[in-house]
Amino acid sequence: MSPAARLRGLKPDWLSDPKVWRTEILGGLVVALALIPEAISFSIIAGVDPAIGLFASFTMAVTISIVGGRRAMISAATGAVALVIAPLNREHGLGYLVAAVILAGVIQIALGALGVAKLMRFVPRSVMVGFVNALAILIFTAQVPEMHDVPWPVYPLLIGGLALMVFFPKVTTVIPAPLVSITVLTAITVAAGIAVPTVGDKGELPSSLPVPGLPDVPFTMDTLTTIAPYALAMALVGLMESLMTAKLVDDITDTHSSKTRESIGQGIANIVTGFFGGMGGCAMIGQTMINVKVSGARTRLSTFLAGSFLMVLCIVFGPVVSDIPMAALVAVMVMVCFATFDWHSIAPKTLRRMPAGEIAVMVITVACVVATHNLAVGVVVGSVTAMVIFARRVAHHADVTSVTDPDGTGVVYSVTGELFFASSNDLVTRFDYAGDPDRIVIDLSSAHIWDASTVAALDAVTAKYGQRGKTVEIIGLNRPSAEIHEKLSGELTGGH
């Protein structure tokens, strides 16, 4: 391959394909518009000035577009992070909040380097479906306040915005329907002088770029012990949401992403955000769905432009952006809810075929997320529930059968299934210690030993027969089972 051909292969898609270039730019613009009220709302939750949330969204998006592991995913200030750090800001002030954001970034880099992203393989599909459905519910419930106790023109504007997003793509997909909806509804409200809640009502937009600096805190051990618990919680919540969102985008786009790079990238983005005085953040599922599923963006350019456009819109076009009716942005987010929710998962046909345990895991995940408003809690509880159900199911597959020799001098016990703590606990009770002949063979050729509990159970069986002067021979061990049995047998009872 010639150097020129290699160079062409390294060029991003948006540099060589005008269609991709247009999709990425428009997608970034739609996301930027949707980010403004969200960032302001999360700033209010955290108890900081709206500019702090907007600065965080700007620096997070721009930084993660460069160092992140998942293309087209949007990271910005989020509600989950705001909830975690709000008590710290309330009790100790903004300086401690910013310091916690920087420390959280350091922790995320360390966790990423240690391979925490590999834990994602233990998240079952039922938990993933529950995560997605709970997320859609949370996005919708977050819009309810914008539809309650508002002037009546909000409702026809909302319906009109939804109608535009449903029917405009049938005319053309060159321009994202959400952008058309936002533009049309803004033009109508401004031209007709309709008094409805606007973006400007959420808070004052910044008029200048953020300036880097150190957090205003004493650099002492007391400061570290104060911010450490909040930083750890923020790091874990941020990584959980970011990795789950990355996995979701992988499934939607049929592409693979580096979860380790994404973990480290989230840490770098939070460190940069902290030094610019932002409130930190993580991946935003709602804005990511706007970018990937609604706008069709697929490259880092859309993520970079989402952050860049956000600042341009605030600083240069602040007065215009302030006039955008909240009804237009609520319509976009409601549309995202319907696009995000996995309707197939609750179809009667699916529920009839799905195992009860899988349905239970999905429902538990949704319930935990909706109850706590914390996606990480739902994922952890759902995953643990799935593991318990799996352990119970596999444990029931272990069985013991016996065949006595015709001459009555020996008996062969055939053990089948997966042997671990859940299935081997009652293994000791499956043998006839008093009635069996003097020679006992335990055949494990159809079984597999997974843990020390099983080795201890086999040792207990051997000891009980030994107390009666009978000999036990264990045969048929596969290589991994033989290795763990040889290593641990006789070492687990302390000589008792």
Side-chain angles (χ1 to χ4, degrees):
M1 183 183 293
S2 66
R6 282 198 299 269
L7 184 60
R8 284 194 299 271
L10 293 173
K11 287 170 63 178
D13 293 340
W14 56 270
L15 281 178
S16 55
D17 188 338
K19 184 178 179 181
V20 172
W21 180 78
R22 182 180 62 246
T23 300
E24 300 299 309
I25 291 178
L26 294 177
L29 179 58
V30 174
V31 170
L33 288 168
L35 271 175
I36 293 174
E38 293 273 298
I40 294 174
S41 297
F42 298 146
S43 300
I44 295 171
I45 292 173
V48 299
D49 188 88
I52 304 299
L54 290 166
F55 288 158
S57 296
F58 163 59
T59 53
M60 286 292 298
V62 169
T63 305
I64 205 67
S65 70
I66 300 169
V67 300
R70 173 65 258 176
R71 291 181 297 173
M73 191 167 77
I74 306 296
S75 290
T78 60
V81 169
L83 288 169
V84 169
I85 60 178
L88 177 63
N89 179 65
R90 186 169 54 250
E91 296 171 16
H92 299 280
L94 180 61
Y96 281 82
L97 181 152
V98 172
V101 170
I102 295 172
L103 179 58
V106 173
I107 294 173
Q108 286 177 329
I109 292 175
L111 292 174
L114 291 172
V116 70
K118 294 178 181 177
L119 295 176
M120 287 302 296
R121 71 181 64 179
F122 296 106
V123 178
R125 182 185 178 279
S126 53
V127 172
M128 190 68 190
V129 173
F131 166 83
V132 170
N133 291 346
L135 186 62
I137 294 171
L138 286 184
I139 294 174
F140 181 81
T141 55
Q143 311 311 311
V144 172
E146 304 296 339
M147 297 182 279
H148 176 68
D149 195 21
V150 293
W152 71 264
V154 167
Y155 302 108
L157 287 172
L158 179 60
I159 294 171
L162 291 171
L164 277 170
M165 283 183 285
V166 170
F167 296 109
F168 186 79
K170 300 181 186 302
V171 178
T172 178
T173 56
V174 172
I175 303 175
L179 181 58
V180 174
S181 178
I182 293 170
T183 304
V184 170
L185 295 190
T186 303
I188 290 174
T189 54
V190 172
I194 302 173
V196 291
T198 63
V199 170
D201 297 331
K202 287 289 184 179
E204 186 178 350
L205 302 181
S207 57
S208 62
L209 289 171
V211 178
L214 294 175
D216 184 19
V217 294
F219 292 91
T220 63
M221 187 57 67
D222 286 343
T223 299
L224 181 62
T225 54
T226 299
I227 66 174
Y230 297 96
L232 178 60
M234 176 183 165
L236 294 175
V237 168
L239 278 186
M240 180 73 73
E241 292 204 23
S242 298
L243 294 176
M244 290 294 288
T245 304
K247 190 173 186 297
L248 179 59
V249 177
D250 288 353
D251 294 340
I252 292 172
T253 60
D254 291 325
T255 57
H256 175 71
S257 63
S258 171
K259 305 302 184 296
T260 297
R261 178 176 173 178
E262 183 61 36
S263 301
I264 296 173
Q266 288 290 328
I268 295 172
N270 273 305
I271 291 173
V272 171
T273 297
F275 280 120
F276 275 93
M279 58 180 276
C282 61
M284 293 191 78
I285 185 72
Q287 268 63 27
T288 298
M289 289 300 98
I290 293 174
N291 196 45
V292 174
K293 206 164 187 178
V294 179
S295 300
R298 291 293 183 271
T299 77
R300 297 179 184 274
L301 179 63
S302 58
T303 306
F304 178 85
L305 290 179
S308 301
F309 282 150
L310 175 64
M311 280 293 99
V312 172
L313 289 169
C314 291
I315 296 171
V316 181
F317 300 103
V320 176
V321 172
S322 295
D323 288 334
I324 295 175
M326 285 303 300
L329 298 174
V330 169
V332 172
M333 298 311 294
V334 169
M335 202 68 186
V336 169
C337 297
F338 280 95
T340 302
F341 197 92
D342 187 347
W343 298 101
H344 176 73
S345 66
I346 61 171
K349 183 178 179 181
T350 303
L351 294 176
R352 282 196 298 269
R353 294 184 177 183
M354 190 75 68
E358 301 282 315
I359 297 173
V361 169
M362 181 181 71
V363 172
I364 288 171
T365 302
V366 172
C368 287
V369 172
V370 173
T372 64
H373 283 237
N374 190 323
L375 294 166
V377 170
V379 171
V380 171
V381 173
S383 296
V384 171
T385 303
M387 291 176 186
V388 171
I389 292 173
F390 173 77
R392 286 175 57 86
R393 185 184 303 158
V394 173
H396 292 156
H397 291 167
D399 195 19
V400 179
T401 56
S402 63
V403 177
T404 305
D405 286 347
D407 58 6
T409 60
V411 62
V412 177
Y413 283 93
S414 178
V415 182
T416 61
E418 306 299 320
L419 302 179
F420 62 110
F421 62 90
S423 59
S424 60
N425 279 338
D426 64 345
L427 191 64
V428 179
T429 66
R430 304 295 295 276
F431 298 85
D432 184 4
Y433 302 101
D436 282 343
D438 292 340
R439 186 174 62 85
I440 296 91
V441 176
I442 301 177
D443 183 2
L444 296 177
S445 56
S446 297
H448 186 99
I449 296 176
W450 286 104
D451 62 3
S453 296
T454 302
V455 177
L458 291 172
D459 283 352
V461 171
T462 302
K464 286 180 178 294
Y465 277 118
Q467 291 169 1
R468 293 169 172 78
K470 303 176 182 181
T471 60
V472 176
E473 180 184 5
I474 298 176
I475 65 171
L477 290 169
N478 57 35
R479 183 176 176 182
S481 298
E483 289 176 354
I484 191 172
H485 184 265
E486 181 180 354
K487 182 179 180 180
L488 296 179
S489 181
E491 304 293 331
L492 300 173
T493 59
H496 298 294

